[in-house]
Amino acid sequence: MNYAAHNKELHHTFEHQEPVIFMKGDAALKDGKPFFIPDFSSEVHYETELVIKISRLGKHIAEPFAHRYYEEVTVGIDFTARDLQAQLRRRGLPWEISKAFDGAAVVGKFLPLANVGDIRRLAFHLDVNGQTVQAGNTCDMIFSADEILSYVSRFFTLRMGDLIYTGTPAGVGAVHVGDRLQGYLGDNKLLDFYVR
C-alpha cells in the first residue's frame, strides 16, 4: 500500500500514518526458476516492487542513517493469492498465507545502488509476455525506502541479507500458466522467468 494509484485500483482507502508491513519467510524466496501457481488459489497476482538488501546489522535505525544499511537494489515480485487474501480480509484475519506461501517472493539480480542512481528516483517496470503491465518510480512512494527501513527496524532487528520489498505501483494482475515475466530496473533486466 505504498503507491496511491495502486491503493485506488484495489479500492483501498489509505489513511495509515505508518507503512503497512508483513513478513515472508525464507521459503517464500525464489530465484529465476519457473513460478508454479499454487493449488490453493485460482487468482494469483503479480506485484512488482523495488527491493533493498540489508548490508549490516541494525535496530532502531533513525531515518537519516537508514541509507547506511543497504548498498544493493533489485526488482522483485510479491505474488499474492488475491482470492485467499480477500477471504481473509473479510473475516478480519491476518493474510500472510496469501502473501508468504512458498515461492511467493521472486527476487531479481542485485545491482550496486551506486550504479543505478538515487533511490528516491528509480524507474522500474514489469513486462508480461512482452507487454509492459506495471511501471513505477520510487519518487511516487508514499513512504520512502529509508522511512520503511527505519520503521521496520523499530520492531525487528535487521540482519545482513534481509530483504525489504517497498510496495507496488498500479497495474497488478493475474498470472496464467505459460506467462513470461521480465522485470527491469531502468534499462537493466533483472528478472526473467515463466509461470507454470
Side-chain angles (χ1 to χ4, degrees):
M1 299 184 200
N2 200 25
Y3 289 82
H6 172 60
N7 293 327
K8 185 175 180 181
E9 79 177 337
L10 292 185
H11 309 294
H12 293 158
T13 302
F14 187 84
E15 297 176 2
H16 303 284
Q17 301 301 312
E18 306 92 17
V20 175
I21 62 168
F22 58 91
M23 295 180 67
K24 291 182 183 248
D26 58 2
L29 282 178
K30 189 155 187 65
D31 56 16
K33 294 177 182 154
F35 169 77
F36 290 87
I37 296 175
D39 61 3
F40 53 78
S41 177
S42 59
E43 188 184 3
V44 174
H45 283 197
Y46 56 79
E47 298 186 17
T48 312
E49 309 192 18
L50 181 84
V51 182
I52 60 175
K53 183 193 288 186
I54 301 303
S55 59
R56 57 193 284 200
L57 186 71
K59 176 77 173 164
H60 294 292
I61 301 163
E63 185 185 334
F65 304 109
H67 68 278
R68 298 180 182 176
Y69 289 81
Y70 59 92
E71 299 168 2
E72 296 178 291
V73 296
T74 190
V75 289
I77 307 291
D78 167 22
F79 279 113
T80 303
R82 193 71 73 201
D83 48 355
L84 182 56
Q85 184 187 42
Q87 293 169 26
L88 294 165
R89 280 181 186 233
R90 277 195 300 273
R91 295 164 54 200
L93 298 173
W95 33 267
E96 273 78 7
I97 60 173
S98 70
K99 293 279 231 174
F101 56 88
D102 288 358
V106 178
V107 62
K109 175 186 169 188
F110 279 89
L111 296 176
L113 185 57
N115 293 359
V116 296
D118 185 348
I119 196 165
R120 296 169 298 178
R121 293 174 186 80
L122 293 180
F124 60 97
H125 70 276
L126 176 71
D127 291 354
V128 176
N129 302 324
Q131 299 294 316
T132 299
V133 293
Q134 275 192 293
N137 193 300
T138 57
C139 68
D140 295 324
M141 286 180 173
I142 296 169
F143 300 103
S144 71
D146 289 355
E147 288 175 293
I148 295 169
L149 187 155
S150 177
Y151 180 77
V152 169
S153 77
R154 290 175 53 200
F155 307 97
F156 306 105
T157 298
L158 297 175
R159 293 182 165 85
M160 288 180 63
D162 285 348
L163 305 178
I164 298 179
Y165 283 59
T166 59
T168 194
V172 301
V175 292
H176 306 92
V177 172
D179 284 347
R180 182 180 185 183
L181 278 64
Q182 297 173 296
Y184 295 81
L185 181 56
D187 295 328
N188 300 294
K189 182 166 68 172
L190 305 179
L191 276 177
D192 191 347
F193 65 97
Y194 287 88
V195 176
R196 300 292 187 226

